[in-house]
Amino acid sequence: MVKSSPSPIAQPKPSKVEGIKENSNFLREPVATEILQDTTHFSEDSIQLLKFHGSYQQDNRDNRVKGQEKDYQMMLRTKNPGGLVPPQLYLALDKLADEYGNHTLRATTRQGFQLHGILKKNLKVAIATIVNNLGSTLGACGDINRNVMAPPAPFKNRPEYEYAWEYAQNIADLLSPQTGAYYEIWLDGEKIISGEENPEVTAARQRNGNGTIIHDNPEPIYGTHYMPRKFKACVTVPGDNSVDLYSQDLTLVVILNKKGELTGFNVYAGGGLGRTHNKEETFARLADPIGYVDKSDVYDIVKAIVATQRDYGDRSDRRHARLKYLINDWGVDKFRAKVEEYFGKPVAPFKKLPEFKYQDFLGWQEQGDGKLFLGISIDNGRVKDEGSFLLKTALREIVEQFNLPIRLTPHQNLIFYDIAPENKQAIQDILDSRGVVADPNSIEPLVRFAMACPALPTCGLAITESERAIPGILDRIRALLDKLGLQKEHFVVRMTGCPNGCARPYMAELAFVGSAPESYQVWLGGSPNQTRLAQAYTEKLHDNDIESFLEPIFVYFKKSKKQKESFGDFCDRVGFDAIREFTATYDPLAANSLGKSRRRVSLKDEVYLQLKAAAESQGKPMTDLVHAALEAYFQNLP
C-alpha cells in the first residue's frame, strides 16, 4: 500500500497590516503620494505607515457634527532616547505647538513629547522643523523598536547612570529604521544627522550573528515586514525602577565591577501591558529574567532577541503579536534556547540584583559635579498655560535664558540639569512668578504619583475620559481618605481611557481602565515600586459610584493593614476574596464599622469645606480640629 505524503499544515493568513508593510516600498507609499495631495486626511493604508514616521491620525470627537466631515488632525510624537531634549529642540517644539498645534505639549510615559492638533497640510513642515533642530520622530510609533527609555537622573558621580544613557542611545541607533523613506518624504531627501553613531553600533548592525541579519535588504535587522508589533526597550541601573522595567519587551540592567567599570548587562524580556476587554487571551505580563551578557556582546543579544520576535512572533493576529505572547506560549527556557541560537552561544546566568524602587527625582538636587538639577512635576504630562498657571511660559523662559538641556521622565515629568548654582534663585523666581510648584513636598501625593493617558477627545481608541477626568477623581479620593481618617495615606493611581495601557495602569496600586462611557474597570494590588502586576477587581464601575465603591475597601485597609503597609501591598496580601467578604457586609452607619465606636455628626457643606481647608493648612486631621473646637465651646458655656 502506497501512503500519500501528509498535507502541509496550513499557515495562518498574515494580517492586513503585514500586506501594507510589504507593499510600502519600505515605508514610502502611499504616504509619499498622499502628503502632496490637498486633502484633510490620509487613507487607511497611509495611517498604518505614518506610525513608523511618528504620527497618528486622529479626530477631535468634541467637534464632531452629524453630517459633517470629522475634525481630522495629526498627533506627532518625538523619539528621545533616555528622554534627552536639547534646548534648541525644546524651543522648536514650543513654537510648533503654538503655530501648528493646540498650544500645548505633552510629555509621554516613554520620555518623548507629543504635539496634538496638527493639520495634514502642516505635518511636513512640523517634522522637518523637529529634524532640523536635533530631533526625530522616526520610529516613535509603528511595528518597530520605540523610544528607548533610561532613568532620567543626571548623576555625574554615579557612572552606572551615564552608562544607562549611553547604551539607551546606542540601542536606539542600532534598531533605528535604515530606510531612506523618512528623509525623502519629510526633508526632500536631505538626510540630516544630529550626532555621530558609535562605530560599534554600525558594525553590529551588519554583523550576521547566526541569522540575525537579513542580507541584501535595506532593513538588515527588520527586513521587509519589520516587526510583528511594537517593541519597547529600556536600559536601567540596579535598584532604579523609574522606567517601569517589568513592563518592557526588553530591559537591560547595567552591571559594574567594584571599580565602577562596566562589565555587562542583565537581560529581561517579555513584559507588556496592552490587552483587550473580554478577550482573556490578551493580558498584561511582567518581563522575565533571561540572563547576563558581557558588554562586548550586548548588541548581539539585542539583535538575537529582536530576530527571535521578528521571525517567530504572530503576524496573523495582531492581538497576539507582542513578544510577551511568544514567551508565554513557548516558556522562558525555549525562548532562551532560540535566542541563544541567534546569539551563537549560551547566555550566562543572571547576576543578583538589589530590590528595585520607584523614584521620580523631583525638586532641587545635587548632580554630583557641583551643579544642580531640578525635577518639575507636570500633571499628566500636559505642558500648558491656563489662567495664572503658566507652565509653558515658564519652561520656555528658563530654556531661553539659561540654555539648559532637559531629560523627560517616564512619569511624564521634566528635569532641567547642568544648572550653575548661582542661577538657582533666578530659575526659582521664574517658576514662582508663573505659578509653578517646584517643591515636590508641596504637591498632593496622590497627584504626584498619578498618571493618565490623553484619551478623549483625540485618541481613537478611547472609550471614556482619562486625562480630563483624573484631577477630579483624585480630589474625591483624597476627600474620602480624609473622611475615613486616612489623611497620611497615598498610593499610585493610574487611569486610561481604554485597556491598551498607555499610562501603565496594570502596575498601579489602584487603577481605572475605561470600559464604557463614564465607567471603568478597577484594578487593585500593584506595588508602590511597580514591581508586581495589579489584578482586575471589578469590570465596570460608574464614575458616580467611586466613593461608595472605595469606602469599604479603604475602611478594611485602615482596620487590617500592617504597620507601614501600602494600599497595594495590603490588597495583594489579604486577597480579593477577603476584600469582597468585608465589603459585602460593610455598613457605613454601623457603630463598629471602623473597629471602634463611631458617632456621626452631619456638617453643612460650607462648614465641611472650611474645616477641610483649615486641617490641610495646619497639617492636622479634621477630627482633631473638631474636638478642639467643641472642647473650647463647652468650656465657655455658662
Side-chain angles (χ1 to χ4, degrees), residues 293-513:
V293 296
D294 291 333
K295 66 178 181 180
S296 59
D297 290 330
V298 65
Y299 305 123
D300 289 329
I301 195 68
V302 169
K303 288 195 310 175
I305 290 172
V306 168
T308 302
Q309 165 67 352
R310 177 196 69 202
D311 295 344
Y312 294 95
D314 191 340
R315 293 185 181 270
S316 62
D317 181 358
R318 289 182 65 79
R319 285 199 179 107
H320 188 252
R322 290 287 297 276
L323 178 62
K324 64 179 177 180
Y325 295 117
L326 181 64
I327 295 180
N328 187 75
D329 293 346
W330 280 7
V332 174
D333 291 341
K334 179 179 177 179
F335 174 78
R336 184 187 295 109
K338 180 58 67 174
V339 167
E340 289 173 342
E341 289 182 23
Y342 285 104
F343 188 46
K345 57 185 174 182
V347 175
F350 202 73
K351 302 283 188 181
K352 186 176 180 180
L353 292 172
E355 184 180 356
F356 280 98
K357 303 284 188 181
Y358 169 75
Q359 302 178 73
D360 61 12
F361 307 111
L362 295 184
W364 287 99
Q365 301 188 45
E366 300 276 348
Q367 66 181 35
D369 61 352
K371 293 186 177 182
L372 308 174
F373 71 86
L374 172 62
I376 298 174
S377 177
I378 305 174
D379 285 0
N380 303 309
R382 186 69 66 177
V383 178
K384 61 183 178 181
D385 286 347
E386 189 173 80
S388 60
F389 176 69
L390 303 175
L391 175 62
K392 186 169 179 289
T393 296
L395 299 183
R396 180 176 64 251
E397 291 175 346
I398 290 170
V399 176
E400 287 176 339
Q401 292 184 36
F402 302 99
N403 198 40
L404 296 175
I406 288 169
R407 290 277 171 174
L408 297 177
T409 84
H411 206 75
Q412 302 175 294
N413 298 322
L414 175 151
I415 292 175
F416 285 120
Y417 64 107
D418 287 346
I419 301 170
E422 60 267 24
N423 293 331
K424 177 180 178 180
Q425 190 57 53
I427 292 172
Q428 186 63 58
D429 289 344
I430 291 174
L431 296 172
D432 292 343
S433 67
R434 301 304 185 184
V436 179
V437 176
D439 179 7
N441 297 317
S442 299
I443 302 170
E444 159 60 53
L446 283 176
V447 174
R448 176 176 176 176
F449 298 109
M451 284 202 300
C453 71
L456 296 175
T458 53
C459 178
L461 298 176
I463 301 168
T464 190
E465 296 282 359
S466 181
E467 180 184 346
R468 298 192 296 196
I470 197 171
I473 287 174
L474 292 176
D475 285 345
R476 291 163 60 188
I477 292 173
R478 171 49 63 198
L480 178 59
L481 290 170
D482 290 349
K483 168 188 166 184
L484 298 174
L486 293 167
Q487 290 88 347
K488 294 182 180 180
E489 294 295 335
H490 65 85
F491 33 81
V492 176
V493 182
R494 292 178 178 173
M495 173 175 276
T496 57
C498 83
N500 228 30
C502 291
R504 302 194 287 275
Y506 310 118
M507 306 300 292
E509 295 180 87
L510 169 62
F512 300 91
V513 178

Side-chain angles (χ1 to χ4, degrees), residues 24-29 32 53 138 176-192 217-220 226:
S24 71
N25 188 16
F26 296 96
L27 310 182
R28 289 175 174 83
E29 292 294 350
H53 296 265
L138 176 61
S176 182
Q178 299 301 294
T179 175
Y182 185 74
Y183 296 97
E184 292 169 15
I185 294 171
W186 308 112
L187 288 103
D188 298 323
E190 181 183 0
K191 188 167 184 178
I192 297 173
N217 191 296
E219 294 286 8
Y226 294 87

Side-chain angles (χ1 to χ4, degrees), residues 119-406:
L119 300 181
K120 175 178 178 278
K121 64 181 181 180
N122 298 324
L123 186 60
K124 183 172 181 176
V125 68
I127 292 178
T129 299
I130 289 170
V131 176
N132 284 314
N133 285 279
L134 309 179
S136 178
T137 65
L138 176 61
C141 327
D143 296 349
I144 208 164
N145 179 59
R146 304 288 184 90
N147 197 42
V148 181
M149 297 168 66
F155 294 128
K156 298 301 175 67
N157 57 347
R158 298 179 63 179
E160 65 269 33
Y161 279 88
E162 302 247 12
Y163 285 125
W165 285 7
E166 176 186 348
Y167 279 86
Q169 181 65 61
N170 289 348
I171 299 303
D173 289 344
L174 176 69
L175 299 180
S176 182
Q178 299 301 294
T179 175
Y182 185 74
Y183 296 97
E184 292 169 15
I185 294 171
W186 308 112
L187 288 103
D188 298 323
E190 181 183 0
K191 188 167 184 178
I192 297 173
I193 304 298
S194 59
E196 283 295 318
E197 184 175 87
N198 186 317
E200 293 181 5
V201 172
T202 306
R205 188 182 297 111
Q206 298 301 329
R207 194 163 52 240
N208 184 45
N210 301 296
T212 60
I213 295 302
I214 300 173
H215 294 285
D216 301 320
N217 191 296
E219 294 286 8
I221 292 179
Y222 290 124
T224 304
H225 295 90
Y226 294 87
M227 297 293 277
R229 280 298 300 270
K230 55 187 165 186
F231 189 89
K232 297 181 176 181
C234 73
V235 185
T236 191
V237 306
D240 188 328
N241 195 29
S242 60
V243 295
D244 257 342
L245 72 97
Y246 290 100
S247 67
Q248 313 278 347
D249 291 271
L250 170 64
T251 292
L252 301 175
V253 183
V254 171
I255 303 295
L256 306 183
N257 61 21
K258 292 181 180 180
K259 295 180 180 179
E261 300 166 334
L262 178 66
T263 61
F265 298 85
N266 271 352
V267 181
Y268 292 85
L273 301 185
R275 47 177 292 277
T276 303
H277 287 314
N278 302 317
K279 301 275 185 186
E280 296 306 315
E281 65 273 20
T282 68
F283 46 83
R285 187 182 189 279
L286 298 184
D288 290 298
I290 302 300
Y292 167 85
V293 296
D294 291 333
K295 66 178 181 180
S296 59
D297 290 330
V298 65
Y299 305 123
D300 289 329
I301 195 68
V302 169
K303 288 195 310 175
I305 290 172
V306 168
T308 302
Q309 165 67 352
R310 177 196 69 202
D311 295 344
Y312 294 95
D314 191 340
R315 293 185 181 270
S316 62
D317 181 358
R318 289 182 65 79
R319 285 199 179 107
H320 188 252
R322 290 287 297 276
L323 178 62
K324 64 179 177 180
Y325 295 117
L326 181 64
I327 295 180
N328 187 75
D329 293 346
W330 280 7
V332 174
D333 291 341
K334 179 179 177 179
F335 174 78
R336 184 187 295 109
K338 180 58 67 174
V339 167
E340 289 173 342
E341 289 182 23
Y342 285 104
F343 188 46
K345 57 185 174 182
V347 175
F350 202 73
K351 302 283 188 181
K352 186 176 180 180
L353 292 172
E355 184 180 356
F356 280 98
K357 303 284 188 181
Y358 169 75
Q359 302 178 73
D360 61 12
F361 307 111
L362 295 184
W364 287 99
Q365 301 188 45
E366 300 276 348
Q367 66 181 35
D369 61 352
K371 293 186 177 182
L372 308 174
F373 71 86
L374 172 62
I376 298 174
S377 177
I378 305 174
D379 285 0
N380 303 309
R382 186 69 66 177
V383 178
K384 61 183 178 181
D385 286 347
E386 189 173 80
S388 60
F389 176 69
L390 303 175
L391 175 62
K392 186 169 179 289
T393 296
L395 299 183
R396 180 176 64 251
E397 291 175 346
I398 290 170
V399 176
E400 287 176 339
Q401 292 184 36
F402 302 99
N403 198 40
L404 296 175
I406 288 169

Side-chain angles (χ1 to χ4, degrees), residues 50-90:
L50 278 165
K51 296 175 185 178
F52 293 81
H53 296 265
S55 185
Y56 280 82
Q57 181 167 288
Q58 303 178 330
D59 76 282
N60 189 326
R61 286 193 247 177
D62 285 350
N63 296 337
R64 281 186 181 177
V65 178
K66 189 175 182 179
Q68 294 186 13
E69 184 180 76
K70 295 177 180 179
D71 182 12
Y72 288 109
Q73 52 188 250
M74 308 303 296
M75 180 270 279
L76 195 56
R77 181 182 296 157
T78 63
K79 184 173 70 173
N80 308 85
L84 175 61
V85 182
Q88 177 182 341
L89 175 59
Y90 183 81

